[in-house]
Amino acid sequence: MIDFVGAGPGAVDLITVRGKNLIEKADVIIYAGSLVNSELLNFAKKGCQIYNSAEMTLEEITSVMVSAEMDGKNTVRLHTGDPSIYGAIKEQMNILDKYNLEYKVCPGVSSLFGAAASLKTEYTIPHVSQSVIITRMEGKTPVPEKEDISLLASHNATMVVFLSAGMLNELSRKLIRGGYKSDTPAAIVYKATWNDEKVIKTTVSEIAKSAEKNNINKTALIIIGDFLGNNYKRSLLYNPSFSHEFRKGD
Ligand code: SAH
């Protein structure tokens, strides 16, 4: 069996119980060495073959999986955070499909959520934002024109920007051009849940300056929105006047 496993955002104990069990059973582990905490590999059994996918091509990765499968071995493909977010898993799965090989996915805690925990915040606040936009700046990987950050910014919703720590001046410009006020609260979360995590509160116009001051140019999420401020109304769910299936209001 081949299991795609979410390693979580960084802290070793933020992998799921299932993910840890799969690592313990694995004969082969291919881990994303650039971001996965290598301490997770200590859970591997003796003799487990370990590969760092940061040094491999798609073809090399899938050929390791295919030959392990032919030998009846258990393979774990360990991805950072949750594999469904910028994980490039589809292309691996398509190759496995061609060989008629079975695989499963074990979810992980995305850095999106690791960062929210580090910020001690809620992305969805009544009357402020009820939507979370997960996006990135265009880099070597193109972003569809209709998803340009300046278009997404027009919603003024909560926005979490991945893979963009090296393009922060341009990010701010797009955010402001799109409709966020320049003093809209923003946060930079570097290496969320790792020991050397940094959490920086700033504003949309100051994102690049704040990152530079703190020497951050990678492994960060940029998080934008009024939910980071203190202007909000309490939820209906726990309001004494509100009735619902489990509680009668006054
Ligand atoms: N699948 C991963 C994301 C992989 S893309 C997830 O669910 O989190 C890699 C990008 O994710 C990085 O460039 C950075 O923007 C972000 N990232 C990953 N781990 C992070 C962490 N611990 N703290 C902040 N950002 C992180």
Side-chain angles (χ1 to χ4, degrees):
M1 177 51 85
I2 299 164
D3 289 277
F4 291 86
V5 176
V12 178
D13 55 353
L14 282 178
I15 191 165
T16 62
V17 174
R18 184 186 296 180
K20 181 173 177 251
N21 288 340
L22 288 166
I23 290 181
E24 284 167 351
K25 278 201 325 214
D27 303 299
V28 177
I29 296 175
I30 309 167
Y31 76 108
S34 52
L35 280 172
V36 166
N37 189 337
S38 56
E39 282 179 41
L40 283 167
L41 303 174
N42 296 336
F43 297 132
K45 65 186 179 195
K46 237 176 134 199
C48 175
Q49 288 166 262
I50 294 179
Y51 297 84
N52 178 357
S53 63
E55 299 156 356
M56 298 163 80
T57 62
L58 171 64
E59 288 70 19
E60 287 167 343
I61 292 167
T62 48
S63 107
V64 169
M65 290 172 166
V66 171
S67 38
E69 198 60 11
M70 299 299 168
D71 294 343
K73 292 179 173 165
N74 292 321
T75 300
V76 162
R77 173 68 174 108
L78 196 55
H79 280 271
T80 174
D82 183 85
S84 70
I85 305 283
Y86 304 113
I89 54 171
K90 194 174 173 71
E91 58 192 30
Q92 299 172 59
M93 291 171 171
N94 281 345
I95 294 178
L96 299 177
D97 289 340
K98 285 198 189 116
Y99 286 90
N100 274 324
L101 297 180
E102 273 191 63
Y103 48 83
K104 288 195 192 132
V105 180
C106 170
V109 177
S110 173
S111 59
L112 164 69
F113 301 116
S118 301
L119 283 162
K120 303 189 184 98
T121 195
E122 175 181 348
Y123 287 140
T124 53
I125 308 255
H127 302 278
V128 176
S129 173
Q130 290 292 286
S131 311
V132 183
I133 297 174
I134 299 166
T135 189
R136 61 170 299 168
M137 292 278 285
E138 179 162 297
K140 287 186 195 114
T141 307
V143 169
E145 226 171 272
K146 287 184 177 164
E147 294 174 31
D148 192 89
I149 289 198
S150 55
L151 296 177
L152 301 177
S154 69
H155 300 283
N156 276 218
T158 298
M159 193 184 283
V160 181
V161 185
F162 282 74
L163 294 158
S164 304
M167 292 171 262
L168 297 179
N169 278 314
E170 204 191 334
L171 172 64
S172 281
R173 272 198 296 277
K174 281 184 186 273
L175 291 168
I176 293 168
R177 197 185 318 141
Y180 288 100
K181 295 202 189 84
S182 54
D183 62 354
T184 302
I188 303 168
V189 183
Y190 168 78
K191 292 189 83 176
T193 80
W194 289 75
N195 288 336
D196 51 348
E197 162 187 291
K198 289 183 196 168
V199 177
I200 292 130
K201 298 269 185 78
T202 180
T203 59
V204 165
S205 60
E206 298 289 304
I207 294 171
K209 247 190 241 160
S210 308
E212 201 183 333
K213 231 196 303 177
N214 291 280
N215 291 318
I216 296 172
N217 56 19
K218 58 176 189 176
T219 328
L221 292 175
I222 314 301
I223 301 170
I224 300 115
D226 285 320
F227 76 99
L228 287 163
N230 285 321
N231 231 341
Y232 79 104
K233 291 194 185 136
R234 62 180 286 177
S235 70
L236 280 178
L237 186 60
Y238 299 108
N239 194 305
S241 66
F242 186 67
S243 299
H244 57 72
E245 194 183 346
F246 300 104
R247 181 172 60 80
K248 188 156 169 34
D250 35 72

